[in-house]
Amino acid sequence: GQQLNQSPQSMFIQEGEDVSMNCTSSSIFNTWLWYKQDPGEGPVLLIALYKAGELTSNGRLTAQFGITRKDSFLNISASIPSDVGIYFCAGQLSGSARQLTFGSGTQLTVLP
Amino acid sequence: DGGITQSPKYLFRKEGQNVTLSCEQNLNHDAMYWYRQDPGQGLRLIYYSQIVNDFQKGDIAEGYSVSREKKESFPLTVTSAQKNPTAFYLCASSHLLARTNYGYTFGSGTRLTVV
């Protein structure tokens, strides 16, 4: 199936540091979404992006829909221990009947 | 509050047995999905359904079966033909007709272990 390249695969950061992760694809997406999965739970939607160039914030989280519509990034500022988890990007391809393609996830560990 | 409920949270299966994982949603969503997640891995699509009494195979459907007799329910059966069923299973649902794609809503998952 269609691939989304998400990087990095894992990150170890100190509490208080900023984090950045991104997703890229060779295809054009109509929608980009970012999810967070806590251990043993289902993913929860963090941010949804609907237009190229859109920059959206949700508290300490900021995400952008790339101008080319082939990429998106997520930034987390001033990380705290509860930021630990797996972050997934997801995109909707044009004409895909609203099905989402998921990235492989970024495992974030925050060290005290 | 509306949501999507998976049960049980933990499930143990003996080799050769079929087991059924439950997924129920009261969000009035049209589409429902089943994903498999292995440790340190992403989400792999097993089956999905966009309408009652219809469903489509995903990327890893072999050894699994589903039904969609009601809009609210999309149970997944892991059959004895699935050779490596130990994994975390996630159910999700979404609107199909909403003007804006608000993405999927996920359940809290079922962890299946073969003993």
Side-chain angles (χ1 to χ4, degrees):
Chain A
Q2 176 63 36
Q3 295 293 319
L4 280 182
N5 300 310
Q6 185 171 352
S7 64
Q9 187 174 5
S10 62
M11 301 180 73
F12 292 82
I13 62 170
Q14 294 292 136
E15 185 176 353
E17 289 184 347
D18 297 343
V19 174
S20 184
M21 59 192 77
N22 69 86
C23 275
T24 62
S25 175
S26 57
S27 299
I28 291 175
F29 286 85
N30 290 335
T31 302
W32 283 97
L33 303 144
W34 285 92
Y35 286 84
K36 182 195 177 192
Q37 183 181 26
D38 289 326
E41 296 295 328
V44 173
L45 182 65
L46 297 173
I47 292 179
L49 303 158
Y50 301 108
K51 295 194 307 184
E54 180 180 357
L55 184 71
T56 298
S57 294
N58 178 6
R60 294 179 296 106
L61 278 60
T62 301
Q64 185 159 27
F65 192 141
I67 290 291
T68 65
R69 297 170 64 192
K70 294 181 180 181
D71 63 331
S72 177
F73 71 76
L74 174 70
N75 287 341
I76 305 173
S77 62
S79 59
I80 59 178
S82 62
D83 290 334
V84 165
I86 304 176
Y87 291 80
F88 289 101
C89 64
Q92 184 213 344
L93 289 165
S94 175
S96 64
R98 298 191 174 278
Q99 283 191 51
L100 295 180
T101 300
F102 285 88
S104 55
T106 295
Q107 173 73 61
L108 178 63
T109 301
V110 179
L111 304 173
Chain B
D1 287 339
I4 181 166
T5 302
Q6 289 186 241
S7 62
K9 182 67 174 176
Y10 299 94
L11 187 57
F12 296 88
R13 189 195 95 170
K14 292 182 180 179
E15 288 195 22
Q17 280 184 338
N18 293 352
V19 289
T20 297
L21 284 59
S22 171
C23 180
E24 303 275 336
Q25 54 98 1
N26 60 1
L27 299 165
N28 198 31
H29 282 174
D30 310 291
M32 298 186 75
Y33 312 83
W34 274 105
Y35 286 88
R36 170 178 172 144
Q37 186 176 30
D38 293 287
Q41 302 293 315
L43 307 175
R44 291 189 290 169
L45 182 63
I46 305 173
Y47 269 98
Y48 66 97
S49 168
Q50 297 181 331
I51 193 171
V52 172
N53 292 324
D54 187 54
F55 46 83
Q56 307 296 326
K57 292 182 179 180
D59 299 321
I60 56 164
E62 185 175 352
Y64 300 97
S65 66
V66 294
S67 63
R68 186 89 185 274
E69 297 178 0
K70 299 186 299 181
K71 186 176 183 179
E72 301 78 17
S73 178
F74 191 41
L76 173 74
T77 297
V78 184
T79 74
S80 57
Q82 170 51 237
K83 297 308 179 188
N84 184 23
T86 295
F88 190 54
Y89 291 87
L90 286 162
C91 181
S93 66
S94 72
H95 282 298
L96 283 180
L97 300 178
R99 186 171 182 175
T100 302
N101 187 350
Y102 296 106
Y104 296 175
T105 300
F106 284 88
S108 57
T110 292
R111 185 166 300 281
L112 173 63
T113 303
V114 173
V115 297

